[in-house]
Amino acid sequence: MAFEESREKLGLVSELWAFMKVRKKWWLGPIVVMLVLLGLLIVLTQGTAVAPFIYTLF
């Protein structure tokens, strides 16, 4: 079950990569990377002592 979910997520990444490659939308790459990093930052710092300092940045 978990393998199928990870394969679907990998399919989404490869589909996005194929879209950017075919349509020459290379400017989407940095935007997607920053959104993923921001999401990871919020998820990983949620409920920790670092959270109030992160929220003051935004």
Side-chain angles (χ1 to χ4, degrees):
M1 189 82 159
F3 179 71
E4 292 174 1
E5 291 176 8
S6 64
R7 191 172 67 184
E8 288 177 5
K9 290 180 184 178
L10 186 61
L12 179 67
V13 172
S14 64
E15 205 170 313
L16 179 64
W17 176 255
F19 171 78
M20 290 186 341
K21 190 167 74 170
V22 169
R23 303 277 187 193
K24 306 288 190 227
K25 303 277 186 188
W26 299 115
W27 54 270
L28 284 174
I31 294 172
V32 171
V33 169
M34 290 305 296
L35 285 174
V36 168
L37 289 175
L38 183 63
L40 283 174
L41 179 70
I42 290 172
V43 167
L44 293 177
T45 60
Q46 185 176 0
T48 64
V50 181
F53 299 110
I54 298 297
Y55 292 129
T56 58
L57 294 176
F58 302 104

